[in-house]
Amino acid sequence: MSTSALSDRLSSHQPLVLGLFRVVLGLLFASEGAATVLGVLDRPRSPVGDWPFWYAGVIELVCGVLVLLGVATRGAAFVSSGIMAFAYFTEHQKDGLFPLQNGGLPPALFCWGFLLLVFFGPGLLSLSSLVRGGATRRGVRPRR
């Protein structure tokens, strides 16, 4: 198989893989929020109103579920990316410059993963595309 044919074959699956990426990223983010707010997954619950952890947990839970389902994906991803940047610079940056030094690898990866979704959208398998009447093979409806 030539490089061009392989590239074309992989490109044809981009909307599906983007949708799967969104689902996994949303699930992981929502689980972080659920662990913080509800005290599940072997993590103690953050006290209600505890700044900034409880509020971040609520945002993680709500935005994670929205991203997971593919509802208001770009907006939820924008807020999620911002809160992860905030977490990185306020909680981790003081302990070192690089994420491997300061324990900030998860917020850095979440931040950039959500930023991708802001620009690329939800891909396939999103609830919003089902409600709109289905998506095309490329994952977006044509503009009229």
Side-chain angles (χ1 to χ4, degrees):
M1 180 180 286
S2 72
T3 311
S4 170
L6 178 61
S7 180
D8 290 343
R9 186 175 170 119
L10 292 173
S11 293
S12 71
H13 297 291
Q14 282 179 350
L16 176 61
V17 173
L18 179 61
L20 292 172
F21 173 78
R22 175 188 46 77
V23 167
V24 170
L25 193 67
L27 178 64
L28 294 173
F29 202 59
S31 67
E32 285 284 339
T36 302
V37 174
L38 306 173
V40 296
L41 304 171
D42 296 328
R43 188 181 299 168
R45 187 175 76 82
S46 183
V48 175
D50 184 30
W51 176 258
F53 304 106
W54 184 83
Y55 293 98
V58 170
I59 293 170
E60 289 168 353
L61 182 57
V62 171
C63 288
V65 169
L66 289 174
V67 168
L68 168 67
L69 297 175
V71 177
T73 303
R74 291 178 192 250
F78 181 76
V79 170
S80 299
S81 180
I83 197 165
M84 288 294 96
F86 176 83
Y88 183 80
F89 288 112
T90 59
E91 295 299 318
H92 297 278
Q93 185 71 44
K94 61 187 175 199
D95 297 328
L97 178 62
F98 295 104
L100 289 175
Q101 292 174 310
N102 62 29
L105 192 57
L109 291 174
F110 273 127
C111 179
W112 287 100
F114 284 120
L115 195 59
L116 273 174
L117 291 179
V118 169
F119 286 94
F120 286 97
L124 290 180
L125 310 172
S126 69
L127 192 59
S128 62
S129 71
L130 293 174
V131 171
R132 284 194 317 254
T136 66
R137 179 73 178 122
R138 298 210 45 180
V140 293
R141 296 191 70 199
R143 295 192 185 252
R144 299 185 199 275

